[in-house]
Each structure stands twice: as C-alpha cells, then as structure tokens.
Amino acid sequence: MRIVRGIALLPRNIIIALLRVYRAIISPLYGDVCRYYPSCSAYGLTAVQEHGVLKGGWMTARRLARCHPWAAGGIDDVPPHEHSPYRRSRFGFMVLERKG
C-alpha cells in the first residue's frame, strides 16, 4: 500500500519539477506582471503540491482565467488541504509521511 501511494506521487512531482523550472527560467523573463499575490505560477505550484495534479490543475486554470489586465487583483492564497498524508520535502516535492 505504501509503495502504491509513493508511485501515485510521481505525476504530482513531475508537474512540480516542471513548474519549478518554469519559475526559475521563464517567469523571470516576464517580470512582476501578475495582478495577484502570490503570482500565478507560485499559486499553481502550491495548488499542485497541496491538492494534486487534477484538483490543483483545475484551481490553477481558474486562477489563470481570472488573471487579466482588468482584474482587480489582490491576495489569493491556495486553500490548505486538510489531513494530507504527504509532506513537502525541502526541495518542494511531495513525499509520504514517515511512519511514527
């Protein structure tokens, strides 16, 4: 069971790696243009970390649709996931909680 849950984290961690590469290479080219805080890419990264690829991806798509030149903007944090069996590694990847 633990191995299956670990393998299930693979798609999430691949998306996290891609978002981290985007934030390190492409995002700085645009500068500070997002109307929201955190930026859309930071929101997407946190949403995928907290909620997984499907729900986090959906939340990110909705956020991107709201982010346009006429948006009021403001603070828009990702709602936390309650009772997650995962934790973030120091590099931002999701790993299983250690057995206590």
Side-chain angles (χ1 to χ4, degrees):
M1 179 67 165
R2 190 164 167 82
I3 293 172
V4 172
R5 286 189 17 212
I7 292 171
L9 283 174
L10 189 60
R12 184 184 295 197
N13 285 328
I14 289 170
I15 298 298
I16 290 169
L18 291 173
L19 285 167
R20 288 179 57 92
V21 167
Y22 172 85
R23 288 182 46 78
I25 297 172
I26 298 170
S27 188
L29 298 175
Y30 288 110
D32 191 16
V33 296
C34 193
R35 299 211 175 268
Y36 290 98
Y37 179 83
S39 68
C40 291
S41 60
Y43 182 95
L45 178 62
T46 304
V48 171
Q49 287 171 326
E50 288 287 320
H51 298 283
V53 175
L54 294 178
K55 186 174 180 183
W58 173 248
M59 293 169 70
T60 302
R62 285 186 17 225
R63 166 67 178 273
L64 288 171
R66 291 192 313 265
C67 191
H68 52 77
W70 304 279
I75 297 174
D76 183 23
D77 290 322
V78 175
H81 185 274
E82 299 296 323
H83 310 295
S84 176
Y86 311 116
R87 66 176 177 82
R88 287 184 202 174
S89 72
R90 69 180 194 160
F91 299 109
F93 295 105
M94 302 307 288
V95 295
L96 293 173
E97 281 289 348
R98 292 191 177 124
K99 286 187 174 181

